[in-house]
Amino acid sequence: MLKTEVKRLSLAHTWTISRNSSDFKDNVIVHLEKDGIKAIGEAAPNIRYDEDAERTTKRVMDCRNLLAGSDLFQYQELKKQIDTTITDQSCAKAALDMAILDWVGKSLNVPLYKMLGLSPQDAPLTSYSIGIDSLPNMQERVREMAHMPIFKIKLGKENDREIISAIRAVTNHVIRVDANEGWKDKEQAIKNIEWLEKQNVEFVEQPMPAEMLEETAWLKERTPLPLIADEAVKKTADIPHLAEAYHGINIKLMKSGGILEALSMIHIARAMEMQIMLGCMVETSVAISAAAQIAPLVDYIDLDGNLLLADDPFSGVKHKNGRLIYRNLPGLGIEQERN
Ligand code: MG
C-alpha cells in the first residue's frame, strides 16, 4: 500500500538565498506498507528544478501498481523501472527510493548504514546554513548556533563582503560559502573568491550559474579555493563534464532521485578524483536520516535541513555539536511521527 501526505513545514526563520525567499515548504511524505512492515520516505520539491508537491504526489502514485506487484528486495531492478516511470520530479523518485530501502532494512531488522557496510563514526561533521538576512540577524543566528563547528553562509547578493566580515566578527569557526549561482561575471567572481580566501573560507559552492560551465572552468584555473558544483549536478551522468570546472560535487538525494543513484555518483566522483559533499534541501528528519545513512562515504556534509524547521514532525538521526548521532534502529532509523 502506498500513501502520500503533503506536510506544510514552517521555517524557524524566513529562508532567503540568492534567488528566492520562503517562510514554509510543502514536502511530500510517502508511506509504504507491505507484508505488515511500514516504511517512510520524503520528497522536498524544489522550484529550481521545476518541482511542486502536486506533481510530485502524482509521480509517486504513478508507481503504486509497480510497487504493489514487485519484490521490494529486488530494489536495484525496481530503481530502473521507477526511473522509466518517473522522468521529472526527481524528488518523487528519492521519496520512493528511501521508502523501499527503509522497508528492506526493517524487513532484515538492520539499519541501512549497516546494510551498506558503513560506520557512523566515519561521517564528517555537518555544517549549519545561514540564509541571507540583515547583518545583525545573520550574526544573531551564528551566535545562537555557536556550538556548530562549521557554518555555510549563503551569498550571491550585492553585499557579500559585508556579510562575511560581519560573520567573521562573531565566529572563528569554519566558514563555507554558497553563492547559489548568484555571481554572473567571472572577473567579479574571481575577485570575490580571492577576497574570501583571505577571510579563511574553506570552499565556494556554485559560484556562477550552472549553465556557465566555460566561465566556471576559467575560474577553476585561477581560484585559490575549491569550487563545489551544486545546481550544476543532479545525477551520475552529469559528473564527467563537470570535472574541468569544479573540484567537487554536492550530492543531494532530492536531485539524484535517492540513495542508490547517490551511491553511483559517489563512485564516479571518486574515480574522477573529485571531492564529495552530501547536502540537503529543507527537509524533515526522514530525508535527513536517509542521507545520513551514506554520510560515512563523503568528505563534507551539510545535513541541517531539519534544524531549519520551526517544528520537525519526525524523529531520526540527531545532531550534537555538528556530529550526527545515529540510532541503532532498522532502515532509515525513523523512530516515529511525533505528536
Ligand atoms: Mg547549494
Side-chain angles (χ1 to χ4, degrees), residues 282-303:
V282 172
E283 299 165 356
T284 74
S285 280
V286 172
I288 294 298
S289 299
Q293 304 301 315
I294 57 169
L297 287 169
V298 306
D299 305 307
Y300 312 108
I301 61 173
D302 180 38
L303 295 179

Side-chain angles (χ1 to χ4, degrees), residues 9-252:
L9 305 167
S10 298
L11 290 153
H13 305 282
T14 300
W15 178 244
T16 302
I17 62 169
S18 67
R19 63 180 160 264
N20 55 33
S21 194
S22 47
D23 290 305
F24 64 86
K25 296 274 183 184
D26 285 335
N27 285 7
V28 180
I29 303 297
V30 172
H31 301 276
L32 169 66
E33 187 173 351
K34 202 166 188 182
D35 303 336
I37 292 169
K38 290 180 180 176
I40 193 163
E42 177 179 5
N46 191 317
I47 189 77
R48 168 66 176 75
Y49 305 105
D50 200 23
E51 295 171 343
D52 59 58
E54 194 182 332
R55 278 180 296 163
T56 292
T57 298
K58 190 174 175 314
R59 294 294 175 272
V60 168
M61 295 315 285
D62 285 345
C63 294
R64 183 184 359 203
N65 292 340
L66 173 62
L67 264 63
S70 298
D71 174 359
L72 300 184
F73 283 106
Q74 302 290 311
Y75 55 83
Q76 301 276 8
E77 174 57 28
L78 203 44
K79 175 191 186 295
K80 286 187 212 159
Q81 296 184 38
I82 290 171
D83 283 345
T84 314
T85 310
I86 304 181
T87 54
D88 64 349
Q89 317 292 306
S90 60
C91 65
K93 288 201 267 193
L96 288 168
D97 171 279
M98 277 176 220
I100 292 165
L101 292 173
D102 188 36
W103 187 92
V104 171
K106 283 174 174 161
S107 295
L108 300 171
N109 198 28
V110 65
L112 185 55
Y113 64 81
K114 277 194 183 171
M115 244 171 70
L116 297 169
L118 301 173
S119 170
Q121 69 199 30
D122 294 332
L125 297 174
T126 184
S127 50
Y128 178 80
S129 301
I130 307 287
I132 297 172
D133 203 334
S134 69
L135 299 182
N137 282 355
M138 291 179 83
Q139 289 180 314
E140 180 58 25
R141 212 97 319 127
V142 169
R143 284 199 200 95
E144 278 168 16
M145 301 303 285
H147 56 283
M148 298 300 283
I150 307 165
F151 292 102
K152 184 166 113 171
I153 312 297
K154 295 290 193 176
L155 294 183
K157 297 280 201 191
E158 284 68 44
N159 63 336
D160 289 342
R161 294 188 188 196
E162 287 92 313
I163 288 176
I164 294 299
S165 298
I167 302 290
R168 260 292 166 245
V170 293
T171 185
N172 58 7
H173 292 186
V174 174
I175 291 181
R176 298 168 181 169
V177 156
D178 187 355
N180 283 110
E181 313 182 285
W183 302 334
K184 318 289 185 201
D185 177 81
K186 66 180 182 185
E187 305 279 355
Q188 190 56 46
I190 193 66
K191 281 187 198 142
N192 290 347
I193 295 167
E194 284 167 354
W195 183 84
L196 290 169
E197 196 242 349
K198 295 194 181 76
Q199 315 311 310
N200 204 12
V201 164
E202 189 180 25
F203 62 68
V204 177
E205 200 178 312
Q206 202 62 54
M208 302 191 74
E211 66 275 13
M212 294 180 78
L213 192 64
E214 261 179 51
E215 290 84 349
T216 311
W218 181 92
L219 278 187
K220 192 189 174 202
E221 285 172 18
R222 293 159 178 83
T223 174
L225 295 178
L227 306 180
I228 309 291
D230 182 3
E231 284 85 345
V233 61
K234 286 186 81 177
K235 54 191 192 306
T236 311
D238 300 329
I239 299 173
H241 77 279
L242 293 176
E244 61 170 318
Y246 299 91
H247 302 82
I249 57 165
N250 184 355
I251 298 172
K252 295 177 182 170

